[in-house]
Amino acid sequence: MQQPTTYADYQQLMAQIEILLQKATVGGGFVALNPDEATELAQLSELAEAYEDSIPLMPIKVPQSIPEMIEFKMYERKMKQREMAQLLEVPATRLSEILRGKRRVNLAMAKTLRTKLKIDADFILEHA
């Protein structure tokens, strides 16, 4: 059998896997499968896994602004806004204003974003 290329092929593959798994479950474990069935189950499982790995789980939203990028970095680091302000060495109110679009990033903040958060300088220049 070859790797499924459509969702319908994948469903058919999963049905074959389910039959073998049911046989193993009813029989008290994988020892209930004969060697050919065990080999087939392993091969089918690898094909299913390859198909699943080829499908993106969800569209990845690329940050389109400096506030979005800062929020993304906060998410990556599991940081709260106050903690991010401390890391960036700015008052929490200033960071809040930047995140809400009420304040633009100045040169000093741009440098800090680049060094502390490793945000690409080109991204900062394009979105500042």
Side-chain angles (χ1 to χ4, degrees):
M1 175 165 251
Q2 60 185 356
Q3 180 178 337
T5 55
T6 66
Y7 184 67
D9 293 341
Y10 172 73
Q11 287 179 310
Q12 186 177 24
L13 177 71
M14 292 305 291
Q16 291 174 303
I17 290 172
E18 184 62 29
I19 291 168
L20 292 169
L21 289 176
Q22 285 298 323
K23 182 176 181 181
T25 301
V26 170
F30 290 106
V31 294
L33 300 177
N34 67 43
D36 289 338
E37 291 171 328
T39 301
E40 181 183 10
L41 179 59
Q43 290 171 343
L44 293 174
S45 297
E46 287 178 13
L47 291 171
E49 183 178 1
Y51 176 79
E52 291 165 356
D53 288 344
S54 72
I55 299 171
L57 296 177
M58 67 179 97
I60 298 172
K61 184 176 187 258
V62 178
Q64 298 295 316
S65 67
I66 290 177
E68 285 181 12
M69 181 60 84
I70 294 170
E71 288 173 353
F72 176 71
K73 295 294 184 174
M74 286 170 44
Y75 173 78
E76 275 186 333
R77 296 167 182 235
K78 297 178 174 75
M79 296 178 85
K80 295 182 180 178
Q81 192 171 318
R82 178 173 285 128
E83 296 167 325
M84 180 59 74
Q86 289 173 346
L87 175 69
L88 297 175
E89 300 174 0
V90 296
T93 54
R94 183 173 304 151
L95 179 59
S96 177
E97 290 171 347
I98 291 170
L99 292 175
R100 289 183 295 142
K102 302 286 184 184
R103 180 186 289 252
R104 295 185 59 89
V105 172
N106 61 22
L107 183 59
M109 177 58 103
K111 288 180 180 180
T112 302
L113 293 173
R114 184 183 174 290
T115 57
K116 301 237 179 189
L117 298 182
K118 307 294 186 233
I119 297 175
D120 185 55
D122 288 337
F123 180 87
I124 295 170
L125 287 173
E126 288 174 20
H127 297 89

